[in-house]
Amino acid sequence: GVLTIDGKEQSYVYDVATDNKADRTIAGFSTGAEKKMRNGCKGCPYPDFMDFYNYYGTDDYAHQWVQAAFEGGRTTFNRGGADFSQYDLEGREQAIKKGTVYLNILMYVIRELEDALDDCESQSLTNNYNSVHAWDEGVCFYTGSIEGVDGVTSDGKLLHQLADKRCGNFRTCGEEGTSLDGMSKINHDLFDMFAEGSFQLSSGECQAARRTVRQMTPKFFVPMIQGTLRYAYKVDKLQGGEVENAEGAVFAAAVLPKVYAISPSAAGIIYDNMKVSSNPSTDFVAVKNAFQSVYAGLGITCADVGGLWFDGQDKYYEGMEPCDGAALSVQSADENSGNQLKLITSFCVTMLAMFSL
């Protein structure tokens, strides 16, 4: 194949069956979660993962979701279950593609940041290579190898691209989070924090890096909320069918455990309206109100999420306007930290070549 990096074509040969020397797979991000996120790591259990473990009742919830969708079967979760026998191939395809990224990869991004904290040695300027390396892997798995040096592309596949897609739907693009195009404010904020955290780790400022991670993780879930809201509206008001229900279900699955940790009743409302179903009954207002009730607990604001924009009429869809007021604000990183995309593009190509589906 050929990869284009900074405008130059780079040829490569890679056989999935024989060249995965690191024996790393996206499925492995989930099947290895117990040892890497709950009880086999220095900082275990990781708090975000525990929200998902407590909700779903299993370590490999992400793998189970994707496998059940492949097989057209049913998950065996304690909560938030999905019966994919209700879908034809179109719905199962969405559950597989989006579940792979939003369930498997998202939590592994967070895991790499937590691993970087585990490896950090306070006040050490010479012994934090492993910490910074794990941090860079987290940035890489978040971004992917397609985004390029400016971070604005239309064909990315991972979480960076998702945030940019949703900002165009919710008018949260740009550094101020008020535009309909460009890089999302979420990505502007995250890459300032990625840069700040990398500096803190390399300087042995471990507690400062830990605070940075705690400020970052709520932002990862904003595009999941936006996606859930968008497809709730599509199914409820725009005659959305199986595909729209499937997309909404997987977005919801990627954030429901965080909602449940704050309000089980709000999570129940969202799940009942967004679950996998061949005959969904969705009330977008109920979903929106349930999410808004936990914004403060999640550490995000109304402005972070925005409102669903109607391009054809140059206004928000009725009932999907941004909510008023600010929930609990999350402190931004130093605005001068800068963007690390130029530094990580080549590294990400190398890292992503180390694992396969």
Side-chain angles (χ1 to χ4, degrees), residues 27-38:
F29 289 178
S30 179
T31 58
E34 179 184 357
K35 291 183 178 180
K36 292 187 175 182
M37 304 184 210
R38 187 162 65 88

Side-chain angles (χ1 to χ4, degrees), residues 90-342:
E90 291 84 358
R92 288 163 56 194
E93 176 188 7
Q94 295 303 319
I96 293 164
K97 290 197 305 183
K98 290 175 170 59
T100 297
V101 178
Y102 308 161
L103 295 174
N104 283 271
I105 294 180
L106 173 56
M107 187 54 66
Y108 205 78
V109 169
I110 296 173
R111 181 263 168 189
E112 290 287 7
L113 304 182
E114 294 281 3
D115 185 45
L117 298 178
D118 287 353
D119 291 338
C120 185
E121 294 189 12
S122 296
Q123 308 304 317
S124 174
L125 296 177
T126 60
N127 198 33
N128 276 313
Y129 170 80
N130 288 337
S131 182
V132 175
H133 181 75
W135 188 267
D136 286 347
E137 287 191 348
V139 178
C140 178
F141 292 140
Y142 177 82
T143 309
S145 61
I146 300 176
E147 293 296 333
V149 297
D150 58 1
V152 180
T153 184
S154 61
D155 59 349
K157 305 299 182 185
L158 300 184
L159 298 156
H160 186 286
Q161 178 66 12
L162 170 65
D164 286 352
K165 281 185 175 181
R166 292 293 83 88
C167 82
N169 303 135
F170 282 78
R171 201 176 182 179
T172 53
C173 301
E175 292 186 33
E176 300 301 319
T178 57
S179 300
L180 288 167
D181 52 28
M183 192 161 78
S184 65
K185 186 177 189 303
I186 288 294
N187 281 335
H188 280 289
D189 291 348
L190 283 173
F191 271 84
D192 283 348
M193 292 182 185
F194 281 141
E196 185 174 28
S198 180
F199 175 79
Q200 290 164 339
L201 291 168
S202 64
S203 303
E205 299 175 12
C206 304
Q207 290 306 310
R210 189 171 299 279
R211 288 192 294 271
T212 298
V213 170
R214 298 297 170 252
Q215 292 164 8
M216 291 172 68
T217 51
K219 295 184 179 293
F220 290 131
F221 295 99
V222 169
M224 307 306 164
I225 294 171
Q226 291 173 326
T228 308
L229 291 171
R230 181 173 185 241
Y231 286 100
Y233 192 88
K234 283 192 170 191
V235 173
D236 187 6
K237 294 298 182 182
L238 302 179
Q239 291 76 52
E242 178 177 301
V243 169
E244 289 78 15
N245 174 253
E247 295 199 56
V250 71
F251 275 117
V255 70
L256 273 169
K258 299 297 297 181
V259 175
Y260 183 85
I262 300 162
S263 172
S265 61
I269 291 169
I270 296 166
Y271 174 74
D272 288 342
N273 280 273
M274 302 304 299
K275 63 186 176 183
V276 170
S277 175
S278 59
N279 185 29
S281 176
T282 301
D283 179 347
F284 83 90
V285 174
V287 174
K288 183 184 180 188
N289 289 340
F291 271 125
Q292 289 176 1
S293 74
V294 297
Y295 282 176
L298 290 172
I300 63 174
T301 69
C302 295
D304 289 330
V305 177
L308 186 60
W309 188 256
F310 190 173
D311 286 323
Q313 294 190 9
D314 200 30
K315 65 178 185 179
Y316 292 107
Y317 281 99
E318 184 177 356
M320 289 296 284
E321 300 85 0
C323 57
D324 295 325
L328 181 64
S329 297
V330 180
Q331 180 183 355
S332 298
D334 183 358
E335 293 180 358
N336 296 320
S337 295
N339 190 306
Q340 282 191 318
L341 279 170
K342 291 183 180 180

Side-chain angles (χ1 to χ4, degrees), residues 1 11-25 349-357:
S11 298
Y12 72 94
V13 177
Y14 184 81
D15 185 287
V16 173
T18 61
D19 291 336
N20 186 8
K21 304 299 184 183
D23 196 29
R24 213 173 202 177
T25 67
V349 172
T350 303
M351 293 304 305
L352 290 171
M354 292 174 66
F355 67 90
S356 65
L357 285 169

